[in-house]
Amino acid sequence: MQTSRYNYFFRVDGQTILAYNSFTTALVEMSAEEFGYLQDFFEYPQENFFEIHELAQFKDQLVEMGIVIPDDRDEIEQIRAMRLALKRQDRRFGLTIVPTLNCNFRCSYCFSYSRKARMGPETQLALLRFAEENLREAESLSISWFGGEPTLCIDIIEALSAKFAALCEIYDVPMNPGSIVTNGYLLTERVAKRLKNAGISRAQITLDGDRDTHDRRRPLRSGRGTFDRIVDNVARTCEILETQIRINVDRSNAHTATGALEALESRGLQGKVGIYFGHVKPFTEACADIAAACLSGKEFSELDLALTKEALSRGFTSFPYPRLQLDGVCGADKRLIYVVSPDGLLFKCWAEASLGPAWSVGSVFGSERTPQQEENLAGFLDWDPLAYGQCQDCRLLPICMGGCPHLRIRHNAEADCSTWRYGLLETLAIRYKLGSRIQPRGAHAESGISSG
């Protein structure tokens, strides 16, 4: 037997010993005696070590959690094989549809939307034909709505959602509950109910700190503030749509993030909405002017932990936790997952949907691709984090898998490592104190190794 390369051992408050494996995501408590035996095994890894010390059951648990593995197992090759198998077998069909690049906001850091087109009838028909072709081999369909501001086109959302549902019935393909990323300003109860009836069950809404900061950064085109109306809408619709609040943070507004928490708390939204803190990044050249205000991965990780603790202390229960990411962190490198712009161009990343043909990978109007589109598509489908030496050698590989493909492919020099690199152990300690456990695949580690 040998020890996994993905093990972490650490103490909580200088006392409790925790073991974590990033390949199985098992988090368990160990007694000092158990950890002592494990340290002895690390130093003298005899094949029959555990049997000699009458620790066969302990060994079985360590194997189940991936902390010790067979001598002939190469974990990197195992990850490579599992990743390739997942990619080959993946028949999930997913569309992120951008019905318009227009928006009723003028955010200070957002993409530069130079194309204001709304998806027309011809493009909608072509999109349905494109969907029908792909549904012939798909095992499921997922639809997300993005923008611009998608609620400006709720009529398109309703019409297309109904037609997608009909196609799924024809081809006997399950249609998963949909989602929408919206600024929340137009998300009244009536609109939320219309979205719910259209098969959308989840909404993500962004706040940018306290009222004054948010209103300065995310005003209407007229310059009028939006904070109060968004919070009112969230309070009225969070029981209609499962709502996730993203609180954006960078150097200029980090000190105001608690103001957003206070506003949500004052409306009694603890336990009713999810909370997470968004790392503002300059994804495209249009965002270059905000680069100086963006936090590094280390800075954001430290801030994220502090704000997460603050949110927990106020009764918000959503909590970030590392998940196994062997098939990637998003859909950009998946064969049947696309972003569709209002003019029918296909993209692989949300951040590129406003940038025009040079960044596209095809079109809903036909299967032919330009050489540039072929190159763009291959860049994402062939992207492999194991080709990066620093990723292959990293103990975080199974829960990071190289991070954002867009940043790695388009901006490799500026690509940040996962924030788990800086805050993993403290995050695990917080989860332990909350009394939660993440089980390894097929295991039952919720009570840890120790019986006492």
Side-chain angles (χ1 to χ4, degrees), residues 238-239 243 268-275 314-318:
C238 63
E239 294 185 8
T243 304
L269 293 173
Q270 306 94 313
K272 296 181 180 179
V273 300
I275 300 286
R314 292 176 180 271
F316 295 98
T317 55
S318 55

Side-chain angles (χ1 to χ4, degrees), residues 14 68 76 99 116 120 157 207 243 293 304 314 329 343 351 379 396 433:
V68 296
I76 291 177
K116 308 300 184 186
I157 293 174
L207 295 176
T243 304
D304 187 32
R314 292 176 180 271
V329 299
D343 53 9
L396 295 171
K433 291 177 183 179

Side-chain angles (χ1 to χ4, degrees), residues 28-261:
V28 295
E29 179 183 341
M30 284 187 174
S31 69
E33 181 182 16
E34 290 165 338
F35 185 56
Y37 278 121
L38 194 55
Q39 286 180 304
D40 289 343
F41 173 72
F42 292 163
E43 189 170 354
Y44 305 106
Q46 300 168 273
E47 181 62 32
N48 60 346
F49 174 90
F50 295 99
E51 287 72 19
I52 291 172
H53 294 282
E54 299 182 347
L55 295 170
Q57 184 178 1
F58 182 43
K59 173 188 173 182
D60 290 343
Q61 292 170 321
L62 292 173
V63 170
E64 188 176 30
M65 291 179 291
I67 291 173
V68 296
I69 59 175
D71 283 327
D72 61 355
R73 180 176 299 171
D74 184 327
E75 288 177 296
I76 291 177
E77 288 306 311
Q78 185 181 13
I79 288 174
R80 192 189 310 277
M82 291 174 69
R83 174 176 166 79
L84 289 174
L86 287 168
K87 287 174 73 74
R88 282 197 301 266
Q89 298 165 6
D90 194 350
R91 294 189 294 118
R92 294 171 295 174
F93 181 31
L95 295 173
T96 295
I97 302 173
V98 182
T100 181
L101 287 171
N102 197 12
C103 187
N104 51 339
F105 280 21
R106 177 51 63 194
C107 300
S108 60
Y109 52 77
C110 200
F111 309 129
S112 178
Y113 294 121
S114 58
R115 297 179 295 140
K116 308 300 184 186
R118 170 186 167 99
M119 185 176 285
E122 281 189 34
T123 304
Q124 293 176 49
L125 286 173
L127 172 56
L128 290 167
R129 289 194 296 269
F130 175 79
E132 185 171 10
E133 291 169 4
N134 284 278
L135 283 171
R136 298 177 194 276
E137 63 167 316
E139 64 182 17
S140 64
L141 173 64
S142 298
I143 303 289
S144 299
W145 299 91
F146 188 56
E149 175 46 44
T151 57
L152 293 171
C153 298
I154 192 167
D155 56 330
I156 295 177
I157 293 174
E158 290 175 317
L160 285 177
S161 294
K163 291 171 182 175
F164 285 130
L167 286 173
C168 284
E169 283 193 28
I170 292 172
Y171 291 97
D172 194 26
V173 173
M175 185 170 176
N176 297 321
S179 63
I180 187 168
V181 178
T182 170
N183 59 38
Y185 191 81
L186 300 176
L187 193 63
T188 61
E189 287 181 78
R190 179 172 174 271
V191 169
K193 288 175 181 177
R194 289 176 67 179
L195 293 174
K196 186 77 170 179
N197 290 336
I200 294 169
S201 65
R202 304 183 309 278
Q204 177 183 295
I205 297 171
T206 299
L207 295 176
D208 268 32
D210 59 20
R211 178 188 292 106
D212 290 345
T213 306
H214 174 98
D215 285 347
R216 184 174 65 253
R217 290 162 59 106
R218 294 178 68 83
L220 292 173
R221 286 185 173 275
S222 66
R224 195 171 69 196
T226 60
F227 184 90
D228 288 337
R229 179 161 170 174
I230 293 171
V231 174
D232 285 346
N233 284 345
V234 169
R236 294 186 180 113
T237 62
C238 63
E239 294 185 8
I240 301 171
L241 300 175
E242 179 185 334
T243 304
Q244 188 86 352
I245 305 297
R246 172 188 167 108
I247 301 177
N248 278 340
V249 290
D250 59 28
R251 296 185 201 282
S252 66
N253 80 329
H255 63 289
T256 73
T258 55
L261 292 175

Side-chain angles (χ1 to χ4, degrees), residues 312-325:
L312 290 169
S313 74
R314 292 176 180 271
F316 295 98
T317 55
S318 55
F319 185 76
Y321 196 84
R323 296 185 300 109
L324 202 61
Q325 305 275 20

